[in-house]
Amino acid sequence: MKRLTRAAVAVAAIALIVPVSGCAALLSNQQTHNYVYHGGDGAWASLGGVDFRGILLIANEDNTEAQLFYTIVNNSQGPATVTLKVGDYQKQIKLAKGEKIVQNPQSPDFDGEEALVKGLNAQVGEQVDVEVTANDMDKTVRAQLLNADHWYYEDAQPKGSSTGAPTESASEAPTEDATEDEATPSPEETEGQ
C-alpha cells in the first residue's frame, strides 16, 4: 500500500509541476492564436497568388504626408489587377503573370514616381490600415508609419513634400532667369556694340 501511495503522490506532483513550469503555455489560446510575424521592414499579404511585400510608410518631419513603399509580385496563374488604398492615395496596377512592381525610389528596379499619402490621421509609430485587392479579393493590412528619426530612413522621407516644394521652385527660378538674361542683352553688352 505504501508503494502505491508513494507512486500516486509522485504522479500528482508531476501533474502539478508541468503546468506550473510553463509547458502548458504552448496549449494556451494566447500562444496558438493565428499571429503572423512580419520579419524585416514592412507588412505583407498574399491574395490569390499575388504577394504584397514590404508595405511601409515613412512620414515627413511635420507628419503631414508620408511616402508609401511596397513590392507586388504576381505569382498567380495569369494576369492580375491589384489596388492599394491608404489615406488619400489609391492606385490600380495591372500585372502580367510573373511581373513584379517595386515602389521604392531607392531601388534599382524602380521606374516611377513617389507614392505620396496625405490624410492618414495617425502618429509616427502607429499602424495604418492599407487596403489591398487582387483579382476581386481584398484584405486590410496593418502597416507601420515611421519617420527619419532612425538614420536608416533618412533618405526615405517624401522628396516631393511641402518642405521640399520651395527648394524645387527656387532651383527652377534661376533657370528661368538665366534664360531671360541670355535672351535680353545687359546694358554693358549693348554699350560695347
Side-chain angles (χ1 to χ4, degrees):
M1 255 337 214
K2 288 184 181 183
R3 285 187 184 179
L4 191 55
T5 306
R6 286 182 191 164
V9 170
V11 170
I14 292 172
L16 289 173
I17 291 171
V18 171
V20 174
S21 68
C23 296
L26 295 174
L27 304 174
S28 71
N29 60 353
Q30 291 91 358
Q31 294 295 323
T32 56
H33 178 70
N34 187 15
Y35 175 73
V36 179
Y37 171 71
H38 301 294
D41 293 342
W44 59 273
S46 294
L47 293 171
V50 178
D51 297 324
F52 297 84
R53 299 289 182 252
I55 303 172
L56 180 68
L57 294 127
I58 306 295
N60 61 359
E61 291 177 9
D62 57 2
N63 200 31
T64 56
E65 64 185 0
Q67 183 171 186
L68 176 65
F69 294 86
Y70 56 84
T71 298
I72 305 172
V73 183
N74 182 9
N75 291 318
S76 68
Q77 297 301 313
T81 300
V82 300
T83 305
L84 285 98
K85 184 178 180 185
V86 56
D88 69 342
Y89 177 87
Q90 182 170 346
K91 184 163 188 175
Q92 186 177 65
I93 306 165
K94 294 187 178 186
L95 297 170
K97 178 181 176 182
E99 188 177 0
K100 174 174 85 170
I101 297 289
V102 177
Q103 179 60 46
N104 181 349
Q106 299 171 353
S107 171
D109 295 334
F110 179 74
D111 63 353
E113 57 187 38
E114 291 182 317
L116 297 179
V117 181
K118 295 181 181 178
L120 288 176
N121 296 324
Q123 297 300 313
V124 171
E126 294 181 349
Q127 292 186 328
V128 178
D129 287 343
V130 180
E131 296 173 26
V132 295
T133 63
N135 295 331
D136 299 325
M137 300 171 67
D138 62 345
K139 188 172 191 174
T140 300
V141 180
R142 303 280 291 159
Q144 278 191 304
L145 175 63
L146 302 175
N147 64 9
D149 283 350
H150 191 284
W151 65 269
Y152 185 76
Y153 298 117
E154 284 178 359
D155 295 334
Q157 280 186 304
K159 305 282 187 280
S161 66
S162 55
T163 55
T167 309
E168 289 175 12
S169 51
S171 65
E172 290 173 8
T175 308
E176 293 171 13
D177 293 339
T179 308
E180 291 174 10
D181 289 343
E182 289 172 9
T184 309
S186 66
E188 292 86 11
E189 289 174 350
T190 54
E191 286 176 12
Q193 290 178 353

